[in-house]
Amino acid sequence: MLHDALIGPFTEFEFMRRALAAVIALSLAGAPIGVFLMLRRMSLVGDAMAHAILPGAAVGFLLSGLNLFAMTAGGLFAGFAVAILAGVVARSTGLKEDASLATFYLASLALGVTIVSIKGTNIDLLHVLFGNILAMDDQTLLVVAFNATVTLLVLAVIYRPLVIESVDPLFLRTVSRAGGPAHLAFLALVVINLVNGFQALGTLLAVGLMILPAGIARFWSRDLTAMICIAVVAAAVSGYAGLVLSFQTRVPSGPAIILVATVLYIVSVLFGRVGGIVRQLFPGRHLEA
């Protein structure tokens, strides 16, 4: 019975295996990005960027329907455009970058929903907003895997300046000029992974497998390497459990994955060994001299 519930769906149905492979790829690439977003206090920026890709994806939908490459290209273009515009406005007017991004993402969300509504149906709108990982085909899976591979390779290249800038940006500016290029490359990786997540979870939930696992890792370790590993495992477990939950119930796959990640986050808040509520209420005995 347990085997049929937990393993059976993946051995019996190919679409479940594709969905699981996509979740693993999203976890490997997105969770480390989420950890750096959290360390750099850019979690809400990631959420804003997730909404910013919607108009581009919607234009791709308007021109080509639910065409993978048109919507992906449109999402990438819109994400980069909003990031650049928000940066230009922030530097030209003195407005904080988060406020600038908030303005653009609200406008982007409204524009994207309007564009999809012009041509599509309510089902199309739900697909764009919330995704459908169970309907993923081989072509989409290859794109997700390719973007994840690119993310890991670029992250390996910019890892050291990214870590230093997250901890002490002034020191990095003093000893190296790598901070600026590393920051721009990191923003590009954020956009790429949001587009990746958009294929599976839609624009509203794409950031979920980036931010929630990073928050979970925050309550279990202070070491960066350990945090990244914990975030990847938490994202993969959330994806697997969410797919099983979706298969066994009527809960849509995307929300099911995010709900499982939310449960893991609540458990971490309560019982995490680094700052968890229970740990603070009942601290262990300290070593006595």
Side-chain angles (χ1 to χ4, degrees):
M1 180 67 74
L2 195 60
H3 177 275
D4 293 338
L6 300 180
I7 308 298
F10 302 99
T11 58
E12 187 174 352
F13 298 102
E14 187 177 357
F15 71 89
M16 290 293 289
R17 292 195 293 272
R18 285 200 203 96
L20 183 60
V23 161
I24 293 173
L26 290 172
S27 302
L28 288 171
I33 298 297
V35 170
F36 280 107
L37 281 172
M38 184 184 65
L39 289 177
R40 297 160 74 89
R41 295 178 175 85
M42 293 174 62
S43 298
L44 291 179
V45 171
D47 187 51
M49 293 301 299
H51 295 81
I53 68 176
L54 181 56
V59 170
F61 169 80
L62 191 64
L63 296 176
S64 305
L66 291 172
N67 180 278
L68 169 66
F69 291 104
M71 295 179 70
T72 298
L76 285 172
F77 178 81
F80 286 126
V82 168
I84 292 171
L85 285 173
V88 169
V89 170
R91 285 162 178 75
S92 301
T93 64
L95 186 69
K96 293 288 187 181
E97 193 167 11
D98 58 344
S100 179
L101 269 173
T103 302
F104 279 108
Y105 106 76
L106 287 171
S108 297
L109 181 61
L111 179 61
V113 172
T114 301
I115 292 173
V116 175
S117 301
I118 289 174
K119 181 179 178 181
T121 64
N122 288 337
I123 295 177
D124 295 324
L125 183 59
L126 287 174
H127 179 85
V128 171
L129 292 179
F130 298 103
N132 188 3
I133 194 171
L134 296 181
M136 183 168 293
D137 56 17
D138 291 336
Q139 188 181 43
T140 307
L141 181 57
L142 287 174
V143 172
V144 170
F146 175 79
N147 287 341
T149 302
V150 170
T151 296
L152 292 175
L153 291 175
V154 175
L155 197 58
V157 173
I158 66 172
Y159 183 80
R160 293 189 68 178
L162 203 59
V163 171
I164 296 173
E165 189 181 35
S166 299
V167 177
D168 192 345
L170 181 60
F171 172 76
L172 182 63
R173 285 196 294 269
T174 303
V175 301
S176 172
R177 296 183 179 179
H183 181 70
L184 292 177
F186 176 70
L187 288 179
L189 293 182
V190 171
V191 174
I192 289 173
N193 280 273
L194 288 173
V195 172
N196 239 14
F198 161 76
Q199 304 295 341
L201 304 174
T203 56
L204 295 185
L205 299 177
V207 74
L209 274 186
M210 295 169 62
I211 299 303
L212 280 171
I216 292 168
R218 155 70 174 75
F219 287 98
W220 294 102
S221 179
R222 283 284 189 267
D223 178 75
L224 180 58
T225 303
M227 287 176 65
I228 291 175
C229 293
I230 293 170
V232 170
V233 171
V237 170
S238 299
Y240 166 77
L243 289 175
V244 172
L245 175 64
S246 177
F247 185 83
Q248 301 293 346
T249 66
R250 294 184 177 181
V251 179
S253 53
I257 291 171
I258 302 305
L259 284 174
V260 172
T262 302
V263 171
L264 292 179
Y265 178 79
I266 293 172
V267 171
S268 300
V269 171
L270 292 174
F271 302 106
R273 66 189 202 63
V274 181
I277 293 174
V278 173
R279 184 82 173 190
Q280 294 184 59
L281 292 175
F282 305 101
R285 292 183 177 181
H286 296 284
L287 294 176
E288 296 181 359

